């Protein structure tokens, strides 16, 4: 049913002469699961937008680490939903940069395959588990990239000073108010647009110069006149593709967004509280 709805939307775009369609939120999962079958139904290229989203998630946690004065090479990282498209992409990059990488997923065969891939050529110690709580409780950085209809992580699980990049849609961590002031938690996978964009409907973005990574990927490709299925299927995002789309984004003025958690901007006061928790 969802596939049929996505195809119908693509056909509307096709009739309007649109050069490229990007999938966002849960619709990108259709693109991951069914791969390029959408393109067999319509005459317009379709990208999930996941490559640039992954690039912005990675850039976000690296920027947060730098702000907090952390040495990334000595940190433990957990990627929740590590076998998914965005999660596996982040894992491939970060496994070359950090001390320990824990990946989680729902199916053990998928976890085992990715663990074997990462262990072959990466420097980090690789751990695979289906237990999300176990994965995050000792992690310095958490990228939450699971596809879940309800929040799957509790704020009580994270250690003081942890950096949490929630790139899931819907969110993997609830926006519910918390008394904790010792966590650097932000909505990940967002880009800062070179010019403000006002949408006719509320798409859940905190400011006019903030865009979803998937939206940005389509705009960047269109500016390059590259009307192609840049991101498709699941697990196909390479380090080279991430570097390529990041470089193209930079060329056109796209960079990682300011840090927001919901509509709240992560300000200097919040950062100082997290720094204090790290050194407590």
């Amino acid at each position: 049913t969802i596939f049929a709805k996505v195809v119908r939307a693509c056909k509307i775009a096709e009739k309007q002469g649109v050069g490229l369609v990007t999938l966002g939120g849960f619709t990108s999962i259709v693109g991951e699961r069914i791969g390029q079958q959408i393109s067999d139904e319509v005459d317009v290229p379709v990208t999930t937008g996941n490559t640039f989203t992954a690039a912005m998630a990675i850039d976000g946690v690296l920027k947060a680490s730098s702000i907090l004065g952390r040495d990334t090479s000595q940190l433990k990282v957990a990627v929740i939903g590590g076998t998914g498209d965005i999660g596996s992409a982040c894992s491939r990059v970060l496994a070359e940069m950090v001390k320990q990488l824990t990946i989680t997923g729902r199916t053990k065969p998928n976890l085992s395959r990715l663990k074997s891939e990462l262990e072959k050529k990466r420097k980090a110690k690789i751990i695979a588990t289906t237990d999300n709580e176990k994965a995050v409780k000792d992690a310095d950085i958490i990228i939450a990239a699971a596809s879940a209809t309800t929040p799957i992580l509790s704020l009580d699980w994270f250690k003081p000073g942890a950096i949490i990049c929630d790139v899931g849609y819907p969110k993997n961590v609830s926006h519910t108010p918390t008394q904790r002031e010792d966590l650097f938690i932000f909505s990940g996978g967002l880009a800062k647009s070179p010019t403000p964009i006002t949408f006719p409907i509320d798409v859940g973005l905190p400011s006019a110069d903030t865009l979803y990574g998937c939206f940005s990927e389509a705009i960047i490709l269109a500016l390059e006149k590259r009307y192609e299925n840049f991101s498709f299927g699941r697990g196909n995002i390479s380090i080279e593709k991430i570097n390529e789309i990041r470089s193209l984004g930079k060329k056109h003025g796209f960079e990682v967004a300011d840090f927001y958690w919901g509509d709240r901007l992560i300000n200097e006061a919040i950062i100082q509280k997290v720094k204090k928790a790290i050194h407590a």
Side-chain angles (χ1 to χ4, degrees):
T1 301
I2 299 167
F3 177 75
K5 285 186 175 183
V6 170
V7 168
R8 282 202 300 275
C10 290
K11 285 184 181 293
I12 292 169
E14 183 187 322
K15 287 177 182 176
Q16 296 295 323
V18 169
L20 177 67
V21 172
T22 186
L23 304 176
F26 261 30
T27 61
S28 68
I29 300 166
V30 177
E32 292 170 26
R33 300 266 169 90
I34 306 178
Q36 290 183 293
Q37 285 184 32
I38 295 173
S39 295
D40 296 336
E41 302 281 340
V42 296
D43 290 323
V44 58
V46 178
T47 181
T48 63
N50 284 351
T51 308
F52 195 67
T53 299
M56 292 300 96
I58 294 162
D59 288 359
V61 296
L62 295 179
K63 183 178 178 181
S65 297
S66 176
I67 287 171
L68 295 174
R70 312 292 316 265
D71 179 358
T72 312
S73 67
Q74 299 303 310
L75 300 184
K76 296 179 180 179
V77 175
V79 180
I80 308 304
T83 56
D85 201 37
I86 293 171
S88 61
C90 292
S91 297
R92 291 185 184 102
V93 173
L94 292 172
E96 295 187 343
M97 306 175 72
V98 302
K99 181 179 180 181
Q100 178 178 298
L101 177 69
T102 301
I103 53 173
T104 78
R106 285 179 292 220
T107 57
K108 290 182 178 178
N110 289 344
L111 276 171
S112 180
R113 276 193 294 273
L114 182 60
K115 183 174 186 284
S116 296
E117 176 196 331
L118 296 175
E119 283 178 331
K120 283 177 184 175
K121 49 188 176 181
R122 317 302 185 195
K123 73 164 194 172
K125 177 183 178 182
I126 308 298
I127 299 170
T129 179
T130 56
D131 187 334
N132 290 330
E133 183 176 0
K134 181 181 177 182
V136 306
K137 69 178 184 179
D138 194 38
D140 302 295
I141 296 173
I142 298 94
I143 294 181
S147 299
T149 53
T150 56
I152 58 172
L153 302 175
S154 169
L155 287 169
D156 296 334
W157 296 351
F158 305 114
K159 74 177 187 179
I163 296 166
I164 303 122
C165 168
D166 193 348
V167 72
Y169 292 98
K171 290 293 156 201
N172 288 179
V173 186
S174 174
H175 281 314
T176 305
T178 175
Q179 298 301 311
R180 295 197 65 174
E181 296 182 327
D182 57 353
L183 301 173
F184 193 114
I185 181 167
F186 65 97
S187 300
L190 300 178
K192 179 177 279 191
S193 169
T195 54
I197 299 176
T198 303
F199 293 95
I201 58 172
D202 181 5
V203 293
L205 292 166
S207 69
D209 66 348
T210 302
L211 276 179
Y212 293 119
C214 55
F215 290 12
S216 303
E217 178 169 305
I219 295 170
I220 292 163
L221 292 170
L223 289 168
E224 286 289 304
K225 294 182 171 55
R226 288 179 57 171
Y227 304 110
E228 61 189 71
N229 302 8
F230 190 83
S231 304
F232 64 90
R234 178 194 277 184
N236 297 324
I237 301 176
S238 65
I239 295 174
E240 291 72 25
K241 294 260 296 188
I242 288 175
N243 290 337
E244 180 185 8
I245 195 69
R246 182 194 282 118
S247 177
L248 291 175
K250 188 175 181 181
K251 171 184 171 182
H252 292 290
F254 288 84
E255 60 183 357
V256 67
D258 294 330
F259 294 113
Y260 286 92
W261 179 231
D263 293 329
R264 183 183 68 160
L265 182 68
I266 307 300
N267 57 29
E268 186 61 30
I270 295 171
I271 292 168
Q272 290 304 320
K273 287 178 181 177
V274 178
K275 280 185 175 179
K276 187 176 179 180
I278 293 171
H279 301 294

